[in-house]
Amino acid sequence: MRIEIVDVGPRDGLQNEAEILAPETRAELCDRLAAAGLPRVEAASFVNPKRVPQMAGAEEVMRGLHRREGTVYAGLVLNEKGYERAVEAGVDEVRYAFPVTETFAKKNQNTTVADATALAERLVERARLDGVRVSITLSAAFGDPFEGAVEPGHVLGIAGRVAEAQPDEIVLADTIGVGVPLQVRELVRGAAAHGVTVGCHFHDTRNTGIANAVAAVESGATVLDASVGGTGGCPFAPQATGNVATEDLVYLLHGMGYETGVDLKALVEVARWLSGKLGKELPGQVYKAGVFEPVAG
Amino acid sequence: MRIEIVDVGPRDGLQNEAEILAPETRAELCDRLAAAGLPRVEAASFVNPKRVPQMAGAEEVMRGLHRREGTVYAGLVLNEKGYERAVEAGVDEVRYAFPVTETFAKKNQNTTVADATALAERLVERARLDGVRVSITLSAAFGDPFEGAVEPGHVLGIAGRVAEAQPDEIVLADTIGVGVPLQVRELVRGAAAHGVTVGCHFHDTRNTGIANAVAAVESGATVLDASVGGTGGCPFAPQATGNVATEDLVYLLHGMGYETGVDLKALVEVARWLSGKLGKELPGQVYKAGVFEPVAG
């Protein structure tokens, strides 16, 4: 079975790093990821650069890409203006994310859950007219940095509304890395029951990211976000450390018999290269420990 | 359902740390773990202190304990002499470990798999006569640092022979941290089919430790080794970094609805204390990120 991995390293990975990489370096990161076989890359974030200086120059990143045939280059947007910038800049896919809780929606995007859901529906419609793919992420779906536990029924209610608009996929995001496999199974099955492609986005803050990924793919998710080297976080969510490292996820998935299209050894080289660019060791483990063929036969 | 966690931090955790802790500090670590509710602690290693200087003074560790009613204090042994020292020192449980591959058996214990298996049978018998618990660990059961992949059928054949001797449990160890849940399920189910209590011992070298723990308990394992703070490794196995962090495992298990008897917040304090004693940040994630109640309701 095939799982599509979206490397969000150039966006979610880098947006919380102290070291700011120039747009041309971020474009080069995308090129390297595409060359390693990543089918989709979240190349840039069309947010206000005053709020997230690491993501300034989204248009330059897009212009700097050496686009690879078959690779999907996505851009994150948090509002309609961002959507317009992203489409103008030539993304293949718009990824619109909004929190499922009121406090986080207010703090992160100065909106309400109802307004954000309505915007999701509108952006799906606009994307269809504009001929770009559209992915909708439900942030803080497994727990909220301010409100604590989040009811699965609440998340699935929002997922149902979004699913009716028929986006290319719905991504359930554990923004602060608190989820456990039991939750993952309930949310993924519930979302998939709406007849939509389901993705998951895990942060490895409490070491549950890989276990959650296993639960996700075994419950029907076919898309997983990850970040090369395990960089990343969320600048507005306290303690939200890195995304699941893409190479750790690929190691796991290949060992479990899933296909990803990714060349793991090439990806490990990208992690090493990024580690050099950021001037520090990254949280990913496989790039440090080395690749191994775990299953006999 | 209840899962019994064995904290192997005082042994497997500390044996690969550059900083050597005095026996009284290791005894204090055991006391702190017992006070946090750990039902079993691997307190000491009865190996040659010339080979593993971190573990020198096993008898002093045992003497230094303030034994807590109901807590099981175990000692690791790699041969018959170690067994005799451990029983003499007053352990409640002897844990005998041997590799399932010839190269590792030779390098780690200067033995063969056949001889090591025969010794397991003999030690189970001696332990019964001596009135101590006995646990048998099959090392490198998921992959070998020298030989690579290990056939599950080979591991299960050894497990079957050991099971016939009726130890208190058989522990399947991923000594170099290469396993994936697919293997875990096959090995745990296969070992449990021999009618023995099955434990697992995972290293988090490639970020699969927690995912493997989920697979283990859902396949019938009822005992899990872990190391507070995620310290540890194996001095003779290249790249075998830390055990799964006990607090990360407890976070996961409680979130999944399992009982462990462990007070997670108290355990997090033990990890912080140990981090101070070792003078470094430890790999465990929950003690840094903080506890959260992930499931709504």
Side-chain angles (χ1 to χ4, degrees):
Chain A
M1 191 182 161
R2 191 174 182 93
I3 301 296
E4 184 176 0
I5 299 182
V6 185
D7 201 303
V8 299
R11 197 280 303 171
D12 201 6
L14 296 181
Q15 77 173 17
N16 208 27
E17 292 291 334
E19 182 76 25
I20 298 184
L21 299 187
E24 57 265 30
T25 310
R26 281 143 55 202
E28 185 182 350
L29 174 57
C30 296
D31 289 348
R32 286 175 182 263
L33 290 168
L38 266 301
R40 204 184 330 168
V41 177
E42 199 171 285
S45 175
F46 294 87
V47 296
N48 185 343
K50 284 185 190 142
R51 288 199 74 195
V52 191
Q54 290 91 337
M55 291 291 105
E59 285 79 0
E60 287 171 78
V61 174
M62 293 304 298
R63 274 197 301 272
L65 295 173
H66 298 83
R67 291 203 184 209
R68 195 168 177 275
E69 181 74 29
T71 307
V72 172
Y73 298 88
L76 177 78
V77 312
L78 298 181
N79 52 38
E80 203 142 14
K81 182 172 174 219
Y83 171 87
E84 287 159 8
R85 282 178 61 203
V87 171
E88 179 69 23
V91 302
D92 301 313
E93 172 179 289
V94 167
R95 306 189 103 202
Y96 168 62
F98 68 95
V100 297
T101 64
E102 296 299 345
T103 314
F104 200 22
K106 177 74 182 163
K107 282 184 189 265
N108 201 53
Q109 274 146 265
N110 196 27
T111 186
T112 64
V113 175
D115 284 354
T117 307
L119 178 56
E121 295 166 325
R122 195 156 68 246
L123 293 184
V124 171
E125 205 172 319
R126 289 192 65 173
R128 199 174 298 124
L129 294 171
D130 288 328
V132 296
R133 285 176 50 91
V134 58
S135 168
I136 307 293
T137 292
L138 307 188
S139 303
F142 297 82
D144 180 89
F146 310 104
E147 297 183 16
V150 174
E151 285 284 353
H154 170 71
V155 179
L156 291 176
I158 297 169
R161 265 196 66 187
V162 174
E164 278 176 30
Q166 297 186 292
D168 288 289
E169 78 199 1
I170 292 179
V171 176
L172 303 165
D174 186 9
T175 310
I176 58 169
V178 293
V180 292
L182 211 63
Q183 280 177 296
V184 174
R185 291 172 190 155
E186 182 175 2
L187 287 177
V188 169
R189 284 183 191 139
H194 291 299
V196 68
T197 297
V198 177
C200 283
H201 175 108
F202 297 119
H203 283 245
D204 214 2
T205 315
R206 287 167 186 81
N207 207 359
T208 61
I210 294 287
N212 287 342
V214 174
V217 297
E218 292 187 342
S219 301
T222 55
V223 176
L224 290 173
D225 286 3
S227 166
V228 60
T231 56
C234 172
F236 311 116
Q239 303 284 16
T241 53
N243 294 277
V244 166
T246 313
E247 61 278 12
D248 293 2
L249 183 61
V250 170
Y251 177 82
L252 184 284
L253 290 174
H254 289 185
M256 297 281 287
Y258 293 94
E259 289 166 26
T260 66
V262 177
D263 177 338
L264 180 53
K265 287 181 181 175
L267 182 60
V268 160
E269 291 308 315
V270 181
R272 289 204 182 111
W273 172 85
L274 182 60
S275 170
K277 287 286 170 192
L278 291 170
K280 66 175 200 182
E281 196 172 85
L282 303 179
Q285 296 188 14
V286 168
Y287 95 89
K288 286 173 283 203
V291 175
F292 189 94
E293 296 293 335
V295 180
Chain B
M1 190 180 161
R2 192 174 180 92
I3 300 296
E4 185 176 0
I5 299 182
V6 185
D7 200 302
V8 299
R11 199 281 302 173
D12 202 7
L14 297 181
Q15 77 173 16
N16 208 28
E17 292 292 334
E19 181 77 24
I20 298 184
L21 299 187
E24 57 265 29
T25 309
R26 280 141 56 200
E28 185 182 349
L29 174 58
C30 296
D31 289 349
R32 286 175 182 265
L33 290 168
L38 265 301
R40 206 187 324 171
V41 177
E42 199 170 285
S45 174
F46 295 88
V47 297
N48 185 343
K50 284 185 189 140
R51 288 199 76 197
V52 191
Q54 290 91 337
M55 290 292 104
E59 285 80 1
E60 287 171 79
V61 173
M62 292 305 297
R63 275 197 302 274
L65 295 173
H66 298 82
R67 291 203 185 211
R68 194 167 179 277
E69 182 74 30
T71 307
V72 172
Y73 298 89
L76 178 78
V77 311
L78 298 181
N79 53 37
E80 202 142 16
K81 181 169 175 224
Y83 171 86
E84 288 160 7
R85 281 178 62 202
V87 171
E88 178 69 24
V91 301
D92 302 315
E93 173 178 287
V94 167
R95 306 190 102 200
Y96 168 61
F98 68 94
V100 297
T101 63
E102 296 299 344
T103 314
F104 200 22
K106 178 76 182 165
K107 283 184 191 266
N108 201 52
Q109 275 145 264
N110 195 28
T111 187
T112 64
V113 175
D115 285 353
T117 307
L119 179 55
E121 293 166 325
R122 195 155 67 244
L123 293 183
V124 172
E125 206 172 318
R126 289 191 65 174
R128 200 173 297 124
L129 294 170
D130 288 328
V132 296
R133 284 176 50 92
V134 57
S135 167
I136 308 293
T137 292
L138 307 188
S139 303
F142 296 82
D144 180 90
F146 310 103
E147 297 183 16
V150 174
E151 284 284 351
H154 170 71
V155 180
L156 292 176
I158 297 170
R161 267 197 63 187
V162 173
E164 278 177 30
Q166 297 188 292
D168 288 290
E169 77 198 8
I170 292 179
V171 176
L172 303 164
D174 186 9
T175 310
I176 58 169
V178 293
V180 292
L182 211 62
Q183 281 177 295
V184 174
R185 290 171 190 156
E186 181 175 3
L187 286 177
V188 169
R189 283 181 191 142
H194 291 298
V196 69
T197 297
V198 177
C200 284
H201 175 108
F202 296 119
H203 283 245
D204 216 1
T205 316
R206 287 168 185 81
N207 207 358
T208 61
I210 293 287
N212 287 342
V214 174
V217 298
E218 292 187 340
S219 301
T222 55
V223 176
L224 290 174
D225 287 2
S227 168
V228 60
T231 56
C234 172
F236 311 118
Q239 303 283 17
T241 52
N243 295 276
V244 166
T246 314
E247 62 278 11
D248 294 1
L249 183 61
V250 170
Y251 177 82
L252 184 283
L253 289 174
H254 289 185
M256 297 281 285
Y258 294 94
E259 289 167 26
T260 66
V262 177
D263 177 337
L264 179 54
K265 286 182 181 173
L267 182 61
V268 160
E269 290 308 314
V270 181
R272 290 202 181 112
W273 173 85
L274 182 60
S275 169
K277 287 286 170 191
L278 291 170
K280 66 175 201 184
E281 196 173 84
L282 303 179
Q285 296 188 15
V286 168
Y287 95 89
K288 287 173 283 203
V291 175
F292 189 94
E293 297 292 337
V295 180

